[in-house]
């Protein structure tokens, strides 16, 4: 239990930020899943910049690590390349 006003406020802030971060991380995961499930190359190429932008924004805000964003973008680019 918090003993100071500032720590009570911190707890409230952390709760709100955690909820927000979870939402954006989940949205990103769904977008990545959708792109990986795509078998049409044209559709994947059209979707890739949106997912890439999302990953970059989340990495910038420290919701995900910048290296994780880079790894996901790289694997998605390979996936698109392999589509015929």
């Amino acid at each position: 239990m918090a003993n100071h006003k500032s720590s009570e406020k911190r707890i409230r802030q952390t709760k709100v930020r955690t909820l927000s971060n979870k939402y954006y991380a989940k949205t990103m995961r769904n977008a990545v899943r959708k792109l990986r499930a795509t078998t049409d190359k044209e559709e994947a190429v059209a979707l890739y910049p949106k997912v890439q932008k999302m990953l970059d924004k989340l990495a910038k805000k420290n919701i995900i690590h910048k290296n994780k964003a880079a790894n996901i973008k790289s694997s998605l680019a390979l996936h698109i390349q392999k589509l015929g």
Side-chain angles (χ1 to χ4, degrees):
M1 197 62 212
N3 292 320
H4 298 284
K5 269 192 164 184
S6 61
S7 58
E8 288 174 353
K9 183 178 178 179
R10 274 278 176 228
I11 290 168
R12 289 196 307 269
Q13 287 177 329
T14 303
K15 211 179 290 184
V16 170
R17 287 185 184 140
T18 301
L19 198 62
S20 175
N21 289 347
K22 277 185 180 179
Y23 167 76
Y24 286 114
K26 184 69 175 176
T27 306
M28 178 267 303
R29 283 197 302 271
N30 288 337
V32 170
R33 274 192 204 114
K34 184 179 177 186
L35 184 56
R36 283 201 176 119
T38 305
T39 54
D40 181 31
K41 187 165 186 163
E42 288 178 17
E43 189 180 333
V45 168
L47 197 61
Y48 182 68
K50 294 173 188 168
V51 175
Q52 190 176 14
K53 185 177 177 183
M54 191 185 299
L55 287 165
D56 288 337
K57 279 186 178 179
L58 293 179
K60 186 179 178 184
K61 292 180 183 177
N62 288 323
I63 295 172
I64 61 172
H65 196 274
K66 63 177 184 167
N67 290 352
K68 179 175 181 160
N71 288 337
I72 292 172
K73 287 192 293 185
S74 173
S75 70
L76 289 175
L78 279 173
H79 171 72
I80 292 171
Q81 212 173 34
K82 287 179 183 175
L83 292 175

